[in-house]
Structure formats: C-alpha cells, structure tokens
Amino acid sequence: MCRILNGPTFLFLGSLSAIGVQLSLATNVTSNNPRVLILGGGVADGIDNFVVVDAHTEFGGRMRSREFGGKVIELGPNWIQGTQEGNGPANPIFLLSEKHKIKTQFNDWFGSITTFDNTGAVDYLNTFNKAVDKYEDLTIYAGSRVARQQIDTTARIGYSLIGAKDQNAHSLASEYYQFDWEYAQTPEQSSLIASSWSNNFTYDTDEGGFSDDNRMSIDQNGFKSLIQKEAAEFLKPQQMMLNATVKNIAYSSTGVKVTLLDGRIIQGDYALCTFSVGVLQNDDVQFQPVLPDWKQEGIQSIAMATYTKIFFKFPKKFWFDTEMALYADPERGRYPVWQSLDHINFFPGSGIVFVTVTGDYSERIEALPDSQVKSEVLGVLQSMWHSDPLFRGSYSNWSPSFTNPYHDNLRANIDRLYFAGEATSIKYFGFLHGAYFEGLNIATTMIKCIKGGSCADLKHETEVQNSVPFKAQ
C-alpha cells in the first residue's frame, strides 16, 4: 500500500531483508514430461519447463525498488550478506551479482558509525564495540548448548547466561544494532540456537560461512535486476504470466489444481509452493484438503518478522559524515539505525538518508494514521509490508523453543505439493541466499521424484513430542 502525504519530500517504506518468492505456475507438458506448477517466483532453479506467474508486474518477489529523489532505492532486500573469502564457499547471490554486473558497494556497518542519544551526539563506541563482542560470545555459547544437546531457549536468556545484562539506553541500542536489526525481532522473541546458526553459517568462515562482508546494492536498475537478468537467459515469453494471484490450491496424490483470484484454473502433476510463511500463516491461500495438523504446526512455529525502512530526502545534507549512525532513545527500538546515502560511497549529493525500525515498533509505525506518521517520521510516501497480503511481513525468524522437527514439518511435502523459501532453510532462514539454496534443493528433489517415478515424502513428524515428558507434581 502506498500513500502520498503532504510535506517535505521523503519515502516511508516497509521492506524485506531477505528474498521470498512470489506467485508463479508452470506449463502444459506431455505425459512423459509431467506438468509442474511453481507457486512463487523470485529465486528458484532446477526445473526448466514452467510458466512463472507473479502477482506483480515484474519478477523479483520481495526484491522491489523504486525511484526516489532522483535515485533508485530498495524497498526490500538491500544487501548481499556474506560474499566470499579467498577460494572458500561463495554466496550464490554474490556470484550472480558479479555475473550480471550489479553495482554494489561494501557497507561498513561497524567501522563507519556515529553514535547519538536524546541529548545529541554522544560517543559510546566503547559500549557499541562491547556489544559486538557480546554477540559473538552469544553465538559461541549457543554452539556449546548444541554440542551438549541442551534445549533451545530465548536469545535474551542466552545473553543473561553469558553475563550481558546491561540495561542502559546506550547498551540496549548497541545490542539492538547487533541483534534486532538483523533478525527484526527482540532477543526475547528469538531462538538462541537458530539465530546463532543463521549468523555463523553466513558470516563465520570457520563454520562454513562466506565472509563477514556486506555489500549494498546501489544499482540504478534495482537489485531485482539480478533475478530478471538471470531469468532472461532461460525463460521464454510463453513461460511468464504476470499480474496473477493464487487463491486456492487443491492437492492429492495424483496432482494439483490451482485456482487464481480471477477464476482461472490451472492443473498440474506436481506443485512447488514458495509463498512467504506469513502468507501461509494468514490463510491468504486456501488449501483443499486443509493442511494436516503437523504441517500447520510447522508453519505457525516460525515468526514472520517486520522490517521497515523510512527514507528522507532533503535539499542539503546536514547530518553525520559516517555511513551509519546509531540513536539510543530511552524507548528501546525507537528509530535506532540510520544510514546516509548522501555519502561518497553511495549517492553523494543526493540528500537522502534513511532510518530502520523492526518488529513490534515496525508494526506500530505501519498502523499509524497519516497525521501521526507525518509528525513522527515526516512521511510523504508509505509502502506497507506487514499488511501486504502478498508477503505478510518481511522475513522469517525462529521463535524460542526451536526444534528440528518443526523445521522438518515446515519444509515437508504433502502428496505432490512441495514447499520452499527462505523460511524453510535451516542454515540461512531470513537471508536472500536461503531462498536460493532452498529453491535448488527442493527443485532437485522434485526432479529426482519425477524422473525416478517413485517419490519418497520428505521427513516430517506427525507429533512433535518432548524427550522428557511434562510431570505435574
């Protein structure tokens, strides 16, 4: 949803930091080449006989951009998180950006930052750097719990158990920068183990991660052009169908029937569903029969977090000279993370700066009436992501008490209906590359099934039980 507000020129955007795939389908094939319906565009690979049907007018899923203040800025995913170190493993999104010459710039999140609080510019970089170290300690502690086969808990409890208990505004803002800004939810709302895995498998080369670099897209064709250029190499015109929305999916052991919002019906032998977990949680698409309890429990066990960027355009720059700034408000999470695009590394002379809010505060901002948005964030243009029925949030985050069976159930197929997306990635949930890897993995599984003629269901648990039963004394 977009609204124009009267006032100074700037943009209010709810956005995504990880790719999810949008709505798509596949073509008719002969009986020797079964018809596969792919319900979600964006980043997927491995099946070459399909028609992509997207609810939007162009490919890209949650990768969305628009012109603002004379520059193309990103409403959704903005960064390649983790690139490649030496000859080590490479982030596939980084490789695609290199292949298609997407213009990106190293974004110095930790070395180019100015700190503020409600009194003005205040140097609390020592506190900030301690928060960096505490987060690293948190991930190490989470790994030790896995090694000892201990249960999951909240990241907040994890912080407390390593002695990170500071509650002053500077410490909480610094913690927010490390944690909430990445996961779009608080430590109280997040899994200790899953959040640490997600970090380590992306950034920590000792754990098989790519690197600790973050490259920001400043390509004036938009970050989404990475997908569009890759798709142009193999998609034929007849394989693309835009402005289409899936309303109903009927599935069985013999095939799948999809009904679009406009009433059209498309039949298939198999289907790959790549809707965001937020769409699945809100019943925006109806399934026939209703998804089994174990599948619904898996879907509801992971959160769809919200991440909102608010862009400002001014005639002249008057703010900090670093790339980043951190504001410590007495209220944790109130407009904390700022980034200047009017910087020599990005768009010098643009007069553009943006601030990010996440989680509950993000949802609060998106629900405000025009007058309050205007007074709080000087907004003229809003794009609401939390309430967008095509996404229902920004990206996924595992809640406390995360267990592998919940992940298995979220990922598992039902008959000939398969599921994929960033949320189904155990190692890279919430990341752009998580969606890419899952598209490859599930598509490969489907190809083996189709070519082999015998399909084994992906692992799931009908009931997720405690290893030690509860006892009422």
Side-chain angles (χ1 to χ4, degrees):
M1 175 180 177
C2 296
R3 292 192 300 220
I4 301 292
L5 303 180
N6 295 322
T9 306
F10 55 96
L11 191 60
F12 175 67
L13 305 170
S15 72
L16 307 149
S17 96
I19 188 168
V21 280
Q22 259 307 323
L23 310 171
S24 58
L25 302 168
T27 60
N28 285 311
V29 296
T30 67
S31 59
N32 293 324
N33 191 5
R35 187 183 196 194
V36 180
L37 310 182
I38 304 176
L39 310 177
V43 176
D45 199 356
I47 300 174
D48 61 5
N49 193 358
F50 58 87
V51 172
V52 179
V53 178
D54 198 300
H56 292 102
T57 59
E58 61 181 353
F59 292 145
R62 282 174 263 180
M63 298 178 81
R64 297 173 65 188
S65 56
R66 63 158 295 160
E67 190 278 333
F68 174 69
K71 297 294 180 181
V72 172
I73 51 92
E74 300 300 326
L75 284 69
N78 223 137
W79 294 274
I80 301 170
Q81 296 178 269
T83 54
Q84 184 178 26
E85 187 170 295
N87 294 319
N91 185 329
I93 305 301
F94 172 65
L95 295 182
L96 285 174
S97 73
E98 294 284 287
K99 173 183 176 180
H100 296 295
K101 296 180 171 54
I102 304 301
K103 188 174 183 180
T104 65
Q105 171 63 40
F106 169 68
N107 192 177
D108 194 351
W109 289 357
F110 301 102
S112 180
I113 185 168
T114 306
T115 53
F116 300 82
D117 63 17
N118 60 340
T119 67
V122 178
D123 185 352
Y124 51 91
L125 286 176
N126 284 340
T127 299
F128 176 83
N129 291 328
K130 287 179 182 178
V132 175
D133 294 338
K134 288 175 181 176
Y135 180 70
E136 182 176 357
D137 292 342
L138 183 73
T139 63
I140 293 171
Y141 174 66
S144 72
R145 290 185 70 91
V146 173
R148 296 194 299 269
Q149 297 186 330
Q150 291 180 282
I151 63 170
D152 187 31
T153 185
T154 70
R156 172 61 65 215
I157 292 175
Y159 267 125
S160 296
L161 292 174
I162 63 170
K165 301 178 181 180
D166 294 340
Q167 294 295 305
N168 63 73
H170 294 172
S171 296
L172 291 177
S174 299
E175 176 190 86
Y176 179 103
Y177 193 92
Q178 298 300 315
F179 198 96
D180 302 42
W181 190 44
E182 181 62 59
Y183 300 104
Q185 289 192 299
T186 66
E188 288 84 357
Q189 297 170 312
S190 303
S191 161
L192 167 63
I193 290 173
S195 62
S196 298
W197 274 356
S198 180
N199 176 83
N200 291 345
F201 289 134
T202 292
Y203 291 115
D204 190 343
T205 55
D206 292 335
E207 298 291 338
F210 310 120
S211 74
D212 58 4
D213 287 349
N214 295 287
R215 298 196 67 85
M216 183 174 183
S217 173
I218 54 174
D219 196 290
Q220 291 304 283
N221 291 314
F223 199 12
K224 64 182 181 294
S225 62
L226 174 149
I227 291 178
Q228 294 167 349
K229 290 179 178 180
E230 181 70 11
E233 294 189 354
F234 62 88
L235 277 180
K236 301 177 178 65
Q238 64 270 26
Q239 293 177 312
M240 297 180 285
M241 185 187 301
L242 302 176
N243 284 313
T245 301
V246 173
K247 187 63 178 176
N248 183 279
I249 302 172
Y251 63 93
S252 71
S253 60
T254 59
V256 181
K257 180 175 75 173
V258 172
T259 303
L260 301 180
L261 192 61
D262 61 12
R264 284 177 292 170
I265 295 176
I266 305 173
Q267 305 272 1
D269 296 290
Y270 299 86
L272 172 59
C273 176
T274 57
F275 305 130
S276 78
V277 72
V279 168
L280 297 176
Q281 289 172 341
N282 282 275
D283 299 327
D284 293 305
V285 176
Q286 300 297 313
F287 291 87
Q288 293 179 329
V290 173
L291 296 177
D293 289 346
W294 61 263
K295 187 66 177 183
Q296 293 192 54
E297 186 176 4
I299 290 169
Q300 298 298 335
S301 65
I302 188 169
M304 192 66 175
T306 309
Y307 183 107
T308 302
K309 291 186 284 188
I310 308 166
F311 287 79
F312 300 79
K313 164 72 174 176
F314 294 96
K316 185 178 180 181
K317 177 182 176 181
F318 56 86
W319 50 87
F320 49 92
D321 292 325
T322 52
E323 294 182 23
M324 311 297 298
L326 179 63
Y327 169 68
D329 189 85
E331 180 182 0
R332 189 183 187 278
R334 186 173 187 270
Y335 310 121
V337 181
W338 292 76
Q339 180 163 358
S340 176
L341 295 184
D342 192 340
H343 189 281
I344 190 171
N345 290 335
F346 305 116
F347 303 137
S350 66
I352 300 175
V353 64
F354 71 94
V355 62
T356 300
V357 294
T358 61
D360 294 342
Y361 206 88
S362 177
E363 294 179 22
R364 171 191 174 272
I365 290 296
E366 293 184 357
L368 293 178
D370 287 0
S371 58
Q372 195 168 348
V373 172
K374 190 173 179 179
S375 63
E376 284 200 9
V377 295
L378 307 176
V380 273
L381 184 62
Q382 302 184 64
S383 176
M384 304 294 195
W385 284 87
H386 175 68
S387 56
D388 188 330
L390 299 179
F391 303 115
R392 295 295 187 188
S394 302
Y395 51 87
S396 63
N397 183 43
W398 278 105
S399 304
S401 301
F402 158 81
T403 65
N404 283 103
Y406 278 153
H407 169 261
D408 292 338
N409 288 359
L410 176 64
R411 193 172 188 262
N413 66 296
I414 310 169
D415 293 329
R416 293 190 175 191
L417 177 61
Y418 291 77
F419 295 81
E422 52 85 12
T424 65
S425 173
I426 189 69
K427 295 170 68 174
Y428 307 115
F429 66 89
F431 286 103
L432 207 59
H433 46 275
Y436 182 89
F437 282 126
E438 280 298 278
L440 281 173
N441 293 338
I442 300 300
T444 300
T445 298
M446 293 178 70
I447 290 170
K448 290 180 180 178
C449 167
I450 293 168
K451 290 183 176 180
S454 177
C455 307
D457 288 340
L458 295 175
K459 181 173 62 174
H460 76 271
E461 297 284 345
T462 303
E463 292 183 346
V464 179
Q465 299 179 333
N466 282 321
S467 57
V468 178
F470 287 114
K471 292 183 180 180
Q473 300 296 330

